[in-house]
Amino acid sequence: MNDNALATNIGLDRPQKLVENRVSFAGPHSELSIYDTYLPAEKVLLHSTGLLYCGMIQGKKVLHSSYPVVGGAESMEFVPNQSFVMAANTSVAIDFPEAKMDKPTRCLTVEISRERIASISDKLDQQLGVPLELDSWRVLSQRHLHTQHSQGTQLLLERLFNSFIEDDSERDIAIDFGVSELVTRILKHQARELLLNDSQEQSEKNGLQASIHYINTHLSTPLDIDYLCKVACMSRSRFYQAFKQKVGCSPLNLQQYLRVETAAQLLKTGTSVSEVCFSLGFADLSHFNRRFQEQYGMAPSAFSKQYTSH
């Protein structure tokens, strides 16, 4: 999303406040806001009434949460190409260490009503079945989430932004479709992270979790599907069906996802791109760069520079 175009489109060049200046656009069961902060500040409170999606556009925040965060901690840096999702009726405190008059810290939020979350969750219950051993997909919306978002999520955010600021007869329909896709992405991500955590802590609980644990502990080696079927105690067809239903992707796609997740953690420590690539079993740098770009919205070299610079 181009910062200059965004500022021009919605008038962010005329702030009313210097800390968390807000410009908002209402939609069906949702509201999009752009927040700009022009001065360093600490412990600024942000409260969510419904589920609140936050995406950084420019600058850096430090978030402090007393609420459990999937993929985060009590205090965490929040930078561009990341998503932070707040459960309904919760709060976080925010620091703005780098805010400047000529380069404000800028964040996009989409708040979605609890009624819309319930409706989408109910549809997922009906179409996909209840995830794991939970009662409903609704349970997953009650957790905070901090994660790097993919190219697909970035494109969705840009499409949503354009839908909110446009004024045409199909505006509300486009917003509703976009919000549904965003919530579904959030809940599926939560379900996958929960499943991965369970597979690490309770790898012998059932065959599917045992197979996921095996994939997660053998990232650098090619997948042996026949062996995974034995680990899961399932036929090949049953294994693929159960895996797709519970994890939302194929075993190979999960391995690739976990490889990139592990690569990101190694890059944060300053490990070189080439060393990370080949240590995790990628055939070549081109393949690694492409997979990382798809999952994290930037090249691994840019990701490494972002974290080492911070």
Side-chain angles (χ1 to χ4, degrees):
M1 194 178 300
N2 183 282
D3 291 332
N4 293 330
L6 185 150
T8 301
N9 284 339
I10 61 177
L12 292 177
D13 55 337
R14 299 182 298 276
Q16 302 299 310
K17 297 169 59 179
L18 295 182
V19 176
E20 292 287 71
N21 184 71
R22 179 186 182 191
V23 179
S24 298
F25 301 85
H29 304 287
S30 59
E31 183 177 56
L32 179 141
S33 299
I34 302 294
Y35 288 90
D36 265 358
T37 293
Y38 296 84
L39 298 174
E42 294 183 350
K43 301 295 189 297
V44 178
L45 197 65
L46 176 65
H47 181 77
S48 62
T49 303
L51 182 142
L52 185 67
Y53 173 87
C54 309
M56 283 297 293
I57 299 173
Q58 177 177 279
K60 180 179 77 172
K61 295 181 180 181
V62 178
L63 307 178
H64 306 280
S65 173
S66 58
Y67 200 81
V69 181
V70 177
E74 287 187 4
S75 296
M76 68 212 88
E77 290 189 353
F78 187 33
V79 294
N81 292 105
Q82 289 188 349
S83 297
F84 185 75
V85 182
M86 293 174 59
N89 200 32
T90 61
S91 301
V92 295
I94 308 172
D95 297 342
F96 300 85
E98 300 178 353
K100 299 178 181 178
M101 288 299 298
D102 60 343
K103 193 173 183 180
T105 297
R106 179 169 293 159
C107 176
L108 172 151
T109 70
V110 181
E111 185 159 16
I112 305 156
S113 72
R114 282 175 281 192
E115 293 78 14
R116 188 71 183 110
I117 297 296
S119 173
I120 296 169
S121 299
D122 289 345
K123 286 183 179 178
L124 290 175
D125 286 342
Q126 295 167 10
Q127 297 175 8
L128 302 181
V130 176
L132 310 176
E133 297 178 357
L134 303 176
D135 295 330
S136 168
W137 283 87
R138 293 191 195 192
V139 176
L140 295 168
S141 68
Q142 298 168 13
R143 299 163 178 260
H144 285 352
L145 171 68
H146 181 218
T147 185
Q148 199 84 14
H149 62 233
S150 66
Q151 278 185 323
T153 300
Q154 181 64 27
L155 291 172
L156 169 60
L157 291 174
E158 293 176 8
R159 196 166 72 243
L160 252 181
F161 170 76
N162 289 328
S163 297
F164 269 100
I165 67 171
E166 287 175 354
D167 184 17
D168 60 44
S169 59
E170 298 178 355
R171 174 183 182 273
D172 285 359
I173 296 174
I175 291 173
D176 198 48
F177 281 147
V179 165
S180 295
E181 183 179 347
L182 181 63
V183 172
T184 300
R185 283 175 177 267
I186 292 168
L187 298 183
K188 284 186 173 181
H189 189 104
Q190 297 273 41
R192 181 173 55 200
E193 293 301 316
L194 188 58
L195 181 57
L196 290 171
N197 289 337
D198 283 353
S199 71
Q200 291 177 334
E201 298 171 2
Q202 305 178 59
S203 60
E204 299 179 359
K205 188 174 182 180
N206 59 54
L208 188 61
Q209 287 183 327
S211 69
I212 294 169
H213 179 73
Y214 181 86
I215 293 171
N216 202 14
T217 53
H218 294 78
L219 294 180
S220 62
T221 58
L223 281 187
D224 184 338
I225 297 298
D226 290 333
Y227 183 75
L228 286 177
C229 292
K230 290 180 181 179
V231 170
C233 299
M234 297 179 187
S235 68
R236 196 179 183 93
S237 60
R238 174 58 185 152
F239 174 68
Y240 272 112
Q241 181 183 21
F243 203 97
K244 179 70 173 178
Q245 181 183 22
K246 293 297 184 181
V247 187
C249 64
S250 70
L252 179 59
N253 285 339
L254 177 66
Q255 186 191 53
Q256 296 282 42
Y257 170 81
L258 292 172
R259 279 178 172 177
V260 173
E261 288 285 288
T262 303
Q265 297 306 313
L266 292 172
L267 290 171
K268 288 180 182 180
T269 68
T271 309
S272 71
V273 172
S274 58
E275 184 177 350
V276 170
C277 167
F278 296 113
S279 69
L280 288 170
F282 287 96
D284 54 65
L285 281 169
S286 177
H287 180 217
F288 174 55
N289 284 334
R290 186 171 64 255
R291 292 291 307 191
F292 198 96
Q293 179 84 31
E294 289 172 357
Q295 194 162 318
Y296 275 74
M298 64 176 73
S301 56
F303 179 87
S304 178
K305 183 179 180 180
Q306 173 179 278
Y307 276 89
T308 53
S309 66
H310 283 304

